[in-house]
């Protein structure tokens, strides 16, 4: 196709997709050339259908049904098709002319048939092609205003039966089913386009309900049903626009829909219908939403609808009322309210809600950490450093972890109280280590390492226990100051790894060997390391990858 170049393909696809497309040129098959378009199949993870628009003097564009292409990207399969077309330019030009000749010949032949012969031909083709028959039956029903007939054909198109094995449409058949069901959507759009928008509204709603009931019976890993649901939503909106649907009736349907399981299929947002609802319809929408929420104040869908409607009207008090009706026991909802009030500039009320969340959380060990962070930040901003430290101290006392210790340390350092707070915190952790065993001891080791108090961490690890990662950290931080202690750790960990196989284990072992060599250097015992290494080589000689890795590191 004139104007298509590697430079244009590289520019529109990007370097990564272009380079990957080079390897797929041989996977292109079934190239068809039309007026301004090129179609083909490209074999990737599966066979993908690709349409390239060369663009003449402009930038090439196109579509591909691979996951990356479906997101609107110019993928490697489009690149491969473009490169294949460039390689076959002369042959494709002849093919294009041949295709045009065949099309003209077909048109001429069909035009010369009598009415009876043409009908016989159509009957013959529809007898052999069920999909063609259904499409024509749908058009016929639409042309004669046969709503019952259209509904019947639509139900057939949405039926999973022909594609389902044991009542379930598997991944390999999902696209074919979606393509068939898409004909029903086209029929609904056709009704609206032909001036029968009210029928389009009714059938769109019926199709949404039918399709929602089938979602669990289709493997929709590639999102075919999701796209179909979006198309149905568009068809419904356009039909409502054409039919000038009664605002109150539309509002009622929208609220019912978004609270139903079908909402996840279409992702319809009632606010997208604001132009159709008008003032009366929006008032009804709000009224129906309130009624539904009052029946189920803890329902996620009901709360979400209420909050979105309230935010659209900047009604912060209603947003807070919805949150207040279903407060989480860990303070998370209090945090949401505080953030909403902060955004609205009502900072004093926001602070009250955050503090209330801390008070009303029965178990501080389970409190939402984000609430603690939020409130501590507000105290710090207001120069209430003592309150920030007290908050962090209480949280650490309830949930003794490295993170809560770090947060307490930051607050206490800002208030110049850290030495006294640290001693209190370490006292709690030592009591934990004595009372709860290894878990408490490991937290103690973590915080001492985080404080860079390595000697105290060694002592705590020896008295209370530590996991291998902590021992390794201790050894790495002490090779030069405590080489004998570090060496014992490395030797123990290395002994465990000698019983394992695989390159990952070999890399870990060689890293330990280098550390062991460093310890012997600090101890002045290089001969001991040489003897250890000789023995290790003898016992591990069958592990060729390990021996080669050791040699690359001079071991």
């Amino acid at each position: 196709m004139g104007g298509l170049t590697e430079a244009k393909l590289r520019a529109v696809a990007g370097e990564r997709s272009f380079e990957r497309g080079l390897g797929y040129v041989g996977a292109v098959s079934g190239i068809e050339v039309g007026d301004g378009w090129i179609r083909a199949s490209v074999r990737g993870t599966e066979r993908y259908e690709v349409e390239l628009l060369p663009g003449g003097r402009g930038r090439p564009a196109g579509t591909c049904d691979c996951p990356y292409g479906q997101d609107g990207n110019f993928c490697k399969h489009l690149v491969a098709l473009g490169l294949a077309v460039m390689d076959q330019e002369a042959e494709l030009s002849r093919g294009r002319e041949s295709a045009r000749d065949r099309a003209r010949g077909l048109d001429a032949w069909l035009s010369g048939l009598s009415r009876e012969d043409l009908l016989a031909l159509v009957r013959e083709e529809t007898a052999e092609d069920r999909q063609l028959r259904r499409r024509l039956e749908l058009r016929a029903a639409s042309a004669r205003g046969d709503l019952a007939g259209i509904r019947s054909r639509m139900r057939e198109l949405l039926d999973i039966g022909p594609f389902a094995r044991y009542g379930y449409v598997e991944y390999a058949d999902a696209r074919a089913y979606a393509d068939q069901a898409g004909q029903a959507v086209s029929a609904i759009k056709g009704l609206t386009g032909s001036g029968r928008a009210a029928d389009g509204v009714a059938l769109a709603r019926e199709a949404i309900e039918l399709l929602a009931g089938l979602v669990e019976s289709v493997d929709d890993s590639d999102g075919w049903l999701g796209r179909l649901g979006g198309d149905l939503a568009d068809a419904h909106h356009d039909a409502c626009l054409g039919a000038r649907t009664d605002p109150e009736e539309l509002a009622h349907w929208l609220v019912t829909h978004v609270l139903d399981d079908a909402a996840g299929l279409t992702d319809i947002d009632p606010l997208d219908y604001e132009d159709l609802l008008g003032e009366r319809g929006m008032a009804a929408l709000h009224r129906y939403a309130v009624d539904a929420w009052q029946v189920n104040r803890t329902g996620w869908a009901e709360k979400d609808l209420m909050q979105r409607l309230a935010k659209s009207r900047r009604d912060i008090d209603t947003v807070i009322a919805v949150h207040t009706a279903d407060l989480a026991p860990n303070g998370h909802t209090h945090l949401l309210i505080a953030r909403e009030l902060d955004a609205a500039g009502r900072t004093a009320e926001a602070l009250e809600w955050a503090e209330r969340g801390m008070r009303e959380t029965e178990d501080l060990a389970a409190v939402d950490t984000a609430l603690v962070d939020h409130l501590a930040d507000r105290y710090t901003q207001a120069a209430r450093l003592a309150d920030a430290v007290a908050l962090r101290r209480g949280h650490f006392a309830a949930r003794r972890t490295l993170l809560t210790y770090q947060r307490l340390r930051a607050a206490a350092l800002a208030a110049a109280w850290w030495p006294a707070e640290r001693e209190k915190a370490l006292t709690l952790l030592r009591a934990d280590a004595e009372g709860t065993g290894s878990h408490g001891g490991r937290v103690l080791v973590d915080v001492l390492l985080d404080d860079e108090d390595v000697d105290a961490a060694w002592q705590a690890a020896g008295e209370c226990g530590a996991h291998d990662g902590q021992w390794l950290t201790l050894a790495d931080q002490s090779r030069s100051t405590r080489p004998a202690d570090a060496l014992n750790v490395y030797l123990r960990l290395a002994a465990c790894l000698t019983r394992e196989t695989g390159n990952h284990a070999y890399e870990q072992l060689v890293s330990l060997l280098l550390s062991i060599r460093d310890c012997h250097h600090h101890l002045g015992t290089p001969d001991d390391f040489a003897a250890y290494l000789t023995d290790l080589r003898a016992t591990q000689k069958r592990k060729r990858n390990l021996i080669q890795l050791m040699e690359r590191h001079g071991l």
Side-chain angles (χ1 to χ4, degrees):
M1 303 290 287
L4 192 62
T5 64
E6 285 192 12
K8 287 184 178 181
L9 291 173
R10 190 186 297 271
V12 73
E15 194 65 33
R16 185 168 181 267
S17 287
F18 181 84
E19 291 299 326
R20 295 182 70 186
L22 292 172
Y24 282 83
V25 175
V28 177
S29 64
I31 297 178
E32 297 180 10
V33 180
D35 186 12
W37 55 262
I38 308 167
R39 295 178 188 140
S41 296
V42 182
R43 171 63 69 178
T45 307
E46 57 180 88
R47 185 170 293 280
Y48 298 113
E49 298 303 317
V50 184
E51 180 174 286
L52 176 66
L53 308 176
R57 295 182 180 180
R59 287 164 59 91
T63 59
C64 177
D65 58 8
C66 73
Y68 188 62
Q70 288 168 11
D71 288 337
N73 299 298
F74 198 94
C75 65
K76 60 189 178 184
H77 307 111
L78 281 163
V79 171
L81 176 55
L83 294 172
V85 167
M86 291 165 58
D87 289 342
Q88 305 174 35
E89 177 63 29
E91 181 180 343
L92 288 173
S93 294
R94 290 192 297 272
R96 185 163 58 251
E97 287 302 320
S98 178
R100 288 173 179 170
D101 289 342
R102 290 194 301 271
R104 285 194 291 266
L106 178 60
D107 285 344
W109 178 66
L110 290 173
S111 299
L113 291 176
S114 66
R115 181 176 181 276
E116 291 74 16
D117 288 342
L118 192 58
L119 284 173
L121 176 63
V122 172
R123 292 190 187 102
E124 179 183 338
E125 292 301 318
T126 55
E128 295 182 4
D129 189 334
R130 182 175 60 182
Q131 298 301 327
L132 174 61
R133 186 184 73 249
R134 285 180 171 176
R135 289 196 297 271
L136 293 179
E137 287 173 346
L138 198 56
R139 288 191 181 186
S142 179
R144 64 177 182 268
D146 180 8
L147 186 60
I150 298 173
R151 178 177 284 110
S152 175
R153 298 289 81 76
M154 183 186 75
R155 287 178 172 274
E156 288 181 3
L157 291 168
L158 294 176
D159 180 20
I160 65 171
F163 302 89
R165 299 179 183 178
Y166 311 109
Y168 185 77
V169 179
E170 297 180 348
Y171 174 81
D173 299 314
R175 181 180 178 182
Y177 169 70
D179 286 343
Q180 174 178 295
Q183 297 172 27
V185 181
S186 297
I188 294 169
K189 292 180 177 179
L191 283 172
T192 300
S194 63
R196 299 178 58 196
D199 289 339
V201 172
L203 290 185
R205 294 178 182 180
E206 186 173 339
I208 288 170
E209 183 178 350
L210 287 171
L211 200 60
L214 299 173
V215 168
E216 297 300 322
S217 300
V218 180
D219 182 342
D220 194 33
S221 300
D222 284 345
W224 294 109
L225 287 192
R227 284 185 285 278
L228 192 61
D231 290 342
L232 268 174
D234 291 341
H236 178 262
H237 184 279
D238 292 345
C240 289
L241 179 63
R244 298 185 179 181
T245 307
D246 177 72
E248 291 216 15
E249 187 278 330
L250 177 57
H252 185 268
W253 184 87
L254 287 169
V255 170
T256 302
H257 174 74
V258 298
L259 300 182
D260 187 75
D261 292 339
L265 171 70
T266 63
D267 202 25
I268 285 177
D269 184 350
L271 292 174
D272 290 340
Y273 288 74
E274 187 170 2
D275 57 332
L276 305 181
L277 291 167
E279 184 176 341
R280 183 164 67 93
M282 288 300 293
L285 187 69
H286 183 265
R287 185 172 67 252
Y288 290 131
V290 170
D291 291 343
W293 173 66
Q294 288 178 340
V295 171
N296 184 17
R297 297 196 175 207
T298 61
W300 181 89
E302 287 81 357
K303 291 191 297 182
D304 180 68
L305 177 59
M306 280 291 295
Q307 288 167 3
R308 283 192 290 124
L309 292 177
K311 287 180 181 180
S312 72
R313 305 190 320 180
R314 298 182 180 179
D315 182 2
I316 186 66
D317 291 318
T318 295
V319 174
I320 293 171
V322 173
H323 281 310
T324 305
D326 187 27
L327 294 173
N330 67 345
H332 176 69
T333 320
H334 298 77
L335 172 62
L336 297 180
I337 294 173
R339 287 173 173 169
E340 294 284 358
L341 288 166
D342 267 335
R346 295 159 61 174
T347 55
E349 293 174 77
L351 183 62
E352 289 175 7
W353 269 101
E355 291 176 328
R356 176 179 165 182
M358 292 300 301
R359 290 195 306 271
E360 295 183 355
T361 299
E362 296 180 0
D363 181 8
L364 277 182
V367 70
D368 187 343
T369 301
L371 173 61
V372 182
D373 293 341
H374 175 90
L375 186 54
D377 288 344
R378 295 303 179 274
Y379 283 154
T380 301
Q381 291 168 9
R384 295 172 57 180
L385 301 184
D387 289 333
V389 172
L391 176 66
R392 294 298 190 184
R393 183 193 304 128
H395 192 214
F396 172 76
R399 186 190 297 175
R400 292 190 277 280
T401 66
L402 174 60
L403 179 62
T404 56
Y405 180 86
Q406 291 169 330
R407 296 291 192 268
L408 172 60
R409 181 177 61 200
L413 283 171
W417 292 0
W418 179 229
E421 291 295 333
R422 180 176 189 265
E423 191 54 42
K424 293 175 187 176
L426 292 178
T427 298
L428 287 176
L429 291 173
R430 291 189 181 102
D432 287 344
E434 294 174 2
T436 62
S438 60
H439 175 72
R442 290 172 179 176
V443 176
L444 177 60
V445 172
D446 275 339
V447 300
L448 290 170
L449 283 170
D450 199 62
D451 277 343
E452 299 182 359
D453 192 347
V454 180
D455 288 337
W458 271 103
Q459 182 179 349
E463 293 174 354
C464 308
H467 57 69
D468 285 346
Q470 290 174 320
W471 281 117
L472 183 59
T473 301
L474 284 166
D476 287 343
Q477 293 185 10
S478 310
R479 280 205 299 269
S480 59
T481 57
R482 305 176 66 145
D485 291 332
L487 178 60
N488 287 332
V489 172
Y490 291 137
L491 289 172
R492 179 178 64 81
L493 296 176
C496 295
L497 284 171
T498 58
R499 295 190 289 271
E500 297 184 20
T501 58
N503 290 337
H504 181 63
Y506 299 156
E507 290 169 1
Q508 290 179 299
L509 179 55
V510 168
S511 177
L512 289 174
L513 292 176
L514 293 171
S515 298
I516 291 170
R517 182 175 67 183
D518 195 29
C519 288
H520 278 293
H521 171 73
H522 288 295
L523 290 168
T525 55
D527 292 341
D528 290 348
F529 176 68
Y532 169 79
L533 202 59
T534 299
D535 182 62
L536 181 71
R537 279 178 166 274
T539 59
Q540 304 291 309
K541 61 184 179 181
R542 293 182 179 276
K543 299 175 180 177
R544 295 180 182 177
N545 287 354
L546 171 60
I547 299 301
Q548 291 175 0
L549 191 60
M550 291 171 62
E551 290 174 351
R552 285 202 297 270
H553 286 82
L555 296 170

